[in-house]
Amino acid sequence: MNFTKDLAGLDAFDQLATMVAVATPAGQCLLANSTLENVLGLSRRALQRGNLLDWLVDAGQLRESLQMVARNEVAVGRFDAAMKRAGGPGVGGGELPVHVIVSQMERADRVLVELIEVEQQARLDREERAHGLAQANKELVRNLAHEIKNPLGGIRGAAQLLAMEVTSKELTEYTQVIIHEADRLQALVDRLLAPHRRPHVVSEVNIHEICERVRSLILAEFPKGLAVERDYDTSIPEFRGDREQLIQAVLNIAHNATQALAERIADGDAELVLRTRVARQATFGRQRFRLALELHIQDNGPGVPEAIRDRIFHPLVSGREGGSGLGLTLAQTFVQQHQGTIECDSVPGRTIFKLLIPLP
């Protein structure tokens, strides 16, 4: 039987971030997507000569689910299992914990099997929660900022009128305090609204030009005590993006790092590393991309406080006294507008913020 023609159109499975196979009720593999090839370390041809039951450490539940779904006893079967990988332990192989979903297809003699890495599923869930929360926070902050602007303008105007009426120097100082604080709050509100006001200006972007711009700004601010190292993959192609937004995103993260490095800068051994790499078959935002840019911004500071580690991208959350808590929020917003995301991995002595952006 010619399965290639019969399964025309199923190439869309190659765009999925999860491992997908089409099989017979007996487990014979008819089609496997590229994610499954990459994870198992076998070619598609080799996979399609094999049986799904051979992929799992204990195939009992898979065998039962395939039969039950094929007989229409259940529409979907779900269970957790351990998957075998080529190469053996320590060579990219060993066992991989997966969540298996067995589903019906239009033809009774075909079954769809999806395998999701448990760690990948947890990360996708975290990304989804973070994205949903970011959207809710954006709406909340935008509405709150608009509500604050009107009374703030009234307070400032009243303070100015009052300043023209009073003759006492002491009272004039009080009115100036009111005006100054109103201006400070106005600046904060403007920063909260900035991502929603500024148009998205798209052009060809070179990530290394952005990194060099940020590096020069940081070194101008900290000419002593801080080494800014470069580790670039010069093969990374240009991509369509908003240059100013990306500069601001990288600069915000780098500034956060320098604030965490204050003590090491004073001691003269602070280090910031800008590293670029190409990620292949990268998955983020529940999408799979053939190529993606990985920009690592790494510092040797004390690390992100554990108490706020899960909330560092939330607005108004700051790890230092006097911080506005907007730098990372704006950075994440700008990167998300490029279909990307920012991840953080932090331990004392090494913090890495990883920007992921799809490449053409």
Side-chain angles (χ1 to χ4, degrees), residues 116-349:
I116 307 170
E117 294 181 47
V118 171
E119 179 56 36
Q120 181 192 41
Q121 183 64 50
R123 181 164 55 82
L124 290 173
D125 290 343
R126 284 196 303 271
E127 283 183 6
E128 196 169 78
R129 285 196 302 271
H131 184 72
L133 189 57
Q135 293 299 112
N137 280 333
K138 275 197 289 188
E139 290 301 314
L140 174 63
V141 167
R142 184 163 52 184
N143 293 335
L144 184 60
H146 282 299
E147 290 297 322
I148 291 171
K149 281 177 69 72
N150 292 334
L152 201 56
I155 291 169
R156 192 185 192 284
Q160 286 178 309
L161 292 173
L162 189 59
M164 291 188 289
E165 296 293 329
V166 300
T167 56
S168 165
K169 181 181 178 183
E170 185 178 333
L171 292 177
T172 301
E173 288 178 358
Y174 291 154
T175 57
Q176 289 305 310
V177 169
I178 296 171
I179 293 169
H180 174 75
E181 290 302 300
D183 287 342
R184 187 176 64 82
L185 286 173
Q186 180 66 55
L188 177 63
V189 168
D190 287 342
R191 288 184 67 196
L192 287 168
L193 292 173
H196 311 288
R197 285 177 168 173
R198 190 177 179 279
H200 198 47
V201 182
V202 176
S203 61
E204 292 295 320
V205 172
N206 183 311
I207 191 59
H208 300 122
E209 288 181 5
I210 289 171
C211 290
E212 287 300 291
R213 173 73 181 277
V214 170
R215 183 175 183 270
S216 64
L217 291 171
I218 293 296
L219 286 176
E221 188 174 351
F222 300 96
K224 294 182 179 179
L226 174 65
V228 183
E229 304 294 338
R230 293 168 288 190
D231 181 6
Y232 297 159
D233 178 352
T234 55
S235 69
I236 295 175
E238 292 188 348
F239 59 95
R240 301 285 291 172
D242 187 317
R243 184 173 180 272
E244 294 305 317
Q245 281 191 354
L246 291 173
I247 288 174
Q248 193 62 56
V250 177
L251 186 59
N252 285 2
I253 296 171
H255 264 146
N256 256 41
T258 60
Q259 289 157 4
L261 288 167
E263 289 187 14
R264 281 190 173 272
I265 291 174
D267 294 339
D269 64 351
E271 185 179 85
L272 189 66
V273 181
L274 299 174
R275 181 182 300 111
T276 60
R277 293 290 185 269
V278 172
R280 302 182 188 281
Q281 307 299 341
T283 302
F284 48 92
R286 287 204 174 272
Q287 292 187 62
R288 181 167 167 271
F289 300 97
R290 187 178 61 87
L291 293 176
L293 161 69
E294 271 194 19
L295 169 58
H296 293 194
I297 303 169
Q298 179 177 331
D299 69 72
N300 62 339
V304 178
E306 191 172 348
I308 65 166
R309 200 166 291 169
D310 294 334
R311 300 181 290 119
I312 54 174
F313 295 108
H314 295 190
L316 309 180
V317 173
S318 177
R320 64 185 179 89
E321 190 174 345
S324 67
L326 292 177
L328 292 180
T329 302
L330 293 178
Q332 184 72 281
T333 299
F334 290 147
V335 172
Q336 284 178 348
Q337 288 176 359
H338 290 78
Q339 290 186 283
T341 190
I342 304 176
E343 299 174 355
C344 177
D345 178 20
S346 182
V347 295

Side-chain angles (χ1 to χ4, degrees), residues 86-94:
V91 197

